[in-house]
Amino acid sequence: KAGVTQTPRYLIKTRGQQVTLSCSPISGHRSVSWYQQTPGQGLQFLFEYFSETQRNKGNFPGRFSGRQFSNSRSEMNVSTLELGDSALYLCASSLRTSGIYNEQFFGPGTRLTVL
Amino acid sequence: QQPVQSPQAVILREGEDAVINCSSSKALYSVHWYRQKHGEAPVFLMILLKGGEQKGHDKISASFNEKKQQSSLYLTASQLSYSGTYFCGTASNTGKLIFGQGTTLQVKP
């Protein structure tokens, strides 16, 4: 079974631009969660989608948004990029709604660098 | 609210034991443990549900004390392959899985 895939793997943008990251979950998984990882901050929860609906949202500004498609693929968008948005963005898929009871499978991440 | 992990970093020799602690200020439904090796994605280790259970996976086990809102991960007879960053994730009634800042474990020969 193929794992979680994320594209692109690396991205360089300049301040003020916007970016869209993509995540394809494991086949059959309906939940996709997004995390931002920076040194010293660990994994910061962004949001979770299940069956095309946002189920939970972390404490990030409205510049961070996402969506999920009917095939469970998910995209995350960051508008008006700031230097502090430089991070590894990880998505994780889960068979059912994640969070409390279910194992999450992480993708390799997208490394975003904002100049 | 982000759980607090301790210690932040630990260095061991092969064969030594280690304990990583995870503490939350919120009432917890479950605690999750993941390990991330350098340059790789986090990998699931185990989930502990409220009820004070203890779980084991080879020489790695964990406990969950829901009254104290704490969990501990025990690594016995460490192997070089145990090196990496360990994250605990806690889930409360919000349904979100919130991760700690991580504990870096280095096992030396």
Side-chain angles (χ1 to χ4, degrees), chain B residues 68-80:
Chain B
K68 292 186 177 180
Q69 295 147 208
Q70 293 175 347
S71 177
S72 295
L73 186 72
Y74 307 95
L75 299 107
T76 306
S78 298
Q79 306 167 14
L80 294 176

PDB file of all heavy atoms in Angstrom, chain B residues 68-80:
ATOM      1  N   LYS B  68      -3.132  12.224  36.813  1.00  0.00           N
ATOM      2  CA  LYS B  68      -2.046  13.199  36.842  1.00  0.00           C
ATOM      3  C   LYS B  68      -1.836  13.839  35.474  1.00  0.00           C
ATOM      4  O   LYS B  68      -1.002  14.727  35.335  1.00  0.00           O
ATOM      5  CB  LYS B  68      -0.750  12.529  37.301  1.00  0.00           C
ATOM      6  CG  LYS B  68      -0.756  12.084  38.754  1.00  0.00           C
ATOM      7  CD  LYS B  68       0.617  11.567  39.170  1.00  0.00           C
ATOM      8  CE  LYS B  68       0.622  11.199  40.645  1.00  0.00           C
ATOM      9  NZ  LYS B  68       1.957  10.697  41.083  1.00  0.00           N
ATOM     10  N   GLN B  69      -2.577  13.379  34.482  1.00  0.00           N
ATOM     11  CA  GLN B  69      -2.444  13.893  33.112  1.00  0.00           C
ATOM     12  C   GLN B  69      -0.990  13.772  32.635  1.00  0.00           C
ATOM     13  O   GLN B  69      -0.422  14.715  32.074  1.00  0.00           O
ATOM     14  CB  GLN B  69      -2.931  15.345  33.031  1.00  0.00           C
ATOM     15  CG  GLN B  69      -4.417  15.473  33.302  1.00  0.00           C
ATOM     16  CD  GLN B  69      -4.779  16.783  34.009  1.00  0.00           C
ATOM     17  OE1 GLN B  69      -5.768  16.826  34.730  1.00  0.00           O
ATOM     18  NE2 GLN B  69      -4.018  17.824  33.797  1.00  0.00           N
ATOM     19  N   GLN B  70      -0.422  12.614  32.907  1.00  0.00           N
ATOM     20  CA  GLN B  70       0.977  12.379  32.557  1.00  0.00           C
ATOM     21  C   GLN B  70       1.141  11.034  31.867  1.00  0.00           C
ATOM     22  O   GLN B  70       0.403  10.079  32.141  1.00  0.00           O
ATOM     23  CB  GLN B  70       1.847  12.385  33.825  1.00  0.00           C
ATOM     24  CG  GLN B  70       1.944  13.716  34.518  1.00  0.00           C
ATOM     25  CD  GLN B  70       2.715  13.610  35.831  1.00  0.00           C
ATOM     26  OE1 GLN B  70       2.967  12.519  36.337  1.00  0.00           O
ATOM     27  NE2 GLN B  70       3.091  14.753  36.377  1.00  0.00           N
ATOM     28  N   SER B  71       2.139  10.982  31.007  1.00  0.00           N
ATOM     29  CA  SER B  71       2.514   9.720  30.387  1.00  0.00           C
ATOM     30  C   SER B  71       4.033   9.617  30.385  1.00  0.00           C
ATOM     31  O   SER B  71       4.737  10.637  30.352  1.00  0.00           O
ATOM     32  CB  SER B  71       1.990   9.654  28.957  1.00  0.00           C
ATOM     33  OG  SER B  71       2.412   8.453  28.320  1.00  0.00           O
ATOM     34  N   SER B  72       4.516   8.408  30.446  1.00  0.00           N
ATOM     35  CA  SER B  72       5.964   8.182  30.391  1.00  0.00           C
ATOM     36  C   SER B  72       6.266   7.102  29.368  1.00  0.00           C
ATOM     37  O   SER B  72       5.530   6.109  29.261  1.00  0.00           O
ATOM     38  CB  SER B  72       6.502   7.764  31.762  1.00  0.00           C
ATOM     39  OG  SER B  72       6.367   8.797  32.710  1.00  0.00           O
ATOM     40  N   LEU B  73       7.317   7.322  28.617  1.00  0.00           N
ATOM     41  CA  LEU B  73       7.792   6.345  27.628  1.00  0.00           C
ATOM     42  C   LEU B  73       9.085   5.742  28.149  1.00  0.00           C
ATOM     43  O   LEU B  73      10.003   6.474  28.540  1.00  0.00           O
ATOM     44  CB  LEU B  73       8.036   7.042  26.283  1.00  0.00           C
ATOM     45  CG  LEU B  73       8.406   6.139  25.107  1.00  0.00           C
ATOM     46  CD1 LEU B  73       7.182   5.334  24.654  1.00  0.00           C
ATOM     47  CD2 LEU B  73       8.935   6.966  23.940  1.00  0.00           C
ATOM     48  N   TYR B  74       9.120   4.418  28.205  1.00  0.00           N
ATOM     49  CA  TYR B  74      10.274   3.711  28.743  1.00  0.00           C
ATOM     50  C   TYR B  74      11.002   2.991  27.615  1.00  0.00           C
ATOM     51  O   TYR B  74      10.402   2.197  26.885  1.00  0.00           O
ATOM     52  CB  TYR B  74       9.825   2.683  29.797  1.00  0.00           C
ATOM     53  CG  TYR B  74       8.964   3.264  30.889  1.00  0.00           C
ATOM     54  CD1 TYR B  74       7.576   3.218  30.801  1.00  0.00           C
ATOM     55  CD2 TYR B  74       9.533   3.851  32.011  1.00  0.00           C
ATOM     56  CE1 TYR B  74       6.775   3.756  31.786  1.00  0.00           C
ATOM     57  CE2 TYR B  74       8.732   4.391  33.007  1.00  0.00           C
ATOM     58  CZ  TYR B  74       7.356   4.341  32.896  1.00  0.00           C
ATOM     59  OH  TYR B  74       6.572   4.869  33.890  1.00  0.00           O
ATOM     60  N   LEU B  75      12.289   3.273  27.496  1.00  0.00           N
ATOM     61  CA  LEU B  75      13.112   2.589  26.499  1.00  0.00           C
ATOM     62  C   LEU B  75      14.132   1.743  27.249  1.00  0.00           C
ATOM     63  O   LEU B  75      14.967   2.275  27.988  1.00  0.00           O
ATOM     64  CB  LEU B  75      13.814   3.592  25.586  1.00  0.00           C
ATOM     65  CG  LEU B  75      12.851   4.477  24.792  1.00  0.00           C
ATOM     66  CD1 LEU B  75      12.831   5.890  25.316  1.00  0.00           C
ATOM     67  CD2 LEU B  75      13.224   4.480  23.320  1.00  0.00           C
ATOM     68  N   THR B  76      14.033   0.444  27.067  1.00  0.00           N
ATOM     69  CA  THR B  76      14.861  -0.492  27.808  1.00  0.00           C
ATOM     70  C   THR B  76      15.974  -1.037  26.918  1.00  0.00           C
ATOM     71  O   THR B  76      15.732  -1.354  25.756  1.00  0.00           O
ATOM     72  CB  THR B  76      13.996  -1.663  28.315  1.00  0.00           C
ATOM     73  OG1 THR B  76      12.894  -1.126  29.049  1.00  0.00           O
ATOM     74  CG2 THR B  76      14.795  -2.583  29.208  1.00  0.00           C
ATOM     75  N   ALA B  77      17.158  -1.128  27.487  1.00  0.00           N
ATOM     76  CA  ALA B  77      18.307  -1.681  26.756  1.00  0.00           C
ATOM     77  C   ALA B  77      18.427  -1.031  25.380  1.00  0.00           C
ATOM     78  O   ALA B  77      18.311  -1.700  24.349  1.00  0.00           O
ATOM     79  CB  ALA B  77      18.164  -3.208  26.631  1.00  0.00           C
ATOM     80  N   SER B  78      18.635   0.272  25.383  1.00  0.00           N
ATOM     81  CA  SER B  78      18.621   1.070  24.147  1.00  0.00           C
ATOM     82  C   SER B  78      19.516   0.501  23.055  1.00  0.00           C
ATOM     83  O   SER B  78      20.608  -0.001  23.312  1.00  0.00           O
ATOM     84  CB  SER B  78      19.062   2.503  24.457  1.00  0.00           C
ATOM     85  OG  SER B  78      18.173   3.103  25.335  1.00  0.00           O
ATOM     86  N   GLN B  79      19.014   0.615  21.836  1.00  0.00           N
ATOM     87  CA  GLN B  79      19.767   0.213  20.655  1.00  0.00           C
ATOM     88  C   GLN B  79      20.057   1.463  19.829  1.00  0.00           C
ATOM     89  O   GLN B  79      19.397   2.484  19.988  1.00  0.00           O
ATOM     90  CB  GLN B  79      18.923  -0.764  19.824  1.00  0.00           C
ATOM     91  CG  GLN B  79      18.425  -1.962  20.602  1.00  0.00           C
ATOM     92  CD  GLN B  79      17.362  -2.729  19.843  1.00  0.00           C
ATOM     93  OE1 GLN B  79      17.154  -2.559  18.648  1.00  0.00           O
ATOM     94  NE2 GLN B  79      16.666  -3.614  20.548  1.00  0.00           N
ATOM     95  N   LEU B  80      21.062   1.363  18.967  1.00  0.00           N
ATOM     96  CA  LEU B  80      21.406   2.512  18.119  1.00  0.00           C
ATOM     97  C   LEU B  80      20.189   2.988  17.326  1.00  0.00           C
ATOM     98  O   LEU B  80      20.017   4.189  17.091  1.00  0.00           O
ATOM     99  CB  LEU B  80      22.542   2.142  17.158  1.00  0.00           C
ATOM    100  CG  LEU B  80      23.894   1.848  17.788  1.00  0.00           C
ATOM    101  CD1 LEU B  80      24.886   1.399  16.716  1.00  0.00           C
ATOM    102  CD2 LEU B  80      24.425   3.062  18.538  1.00  0.00           C
TER     103      LEU B  80
END
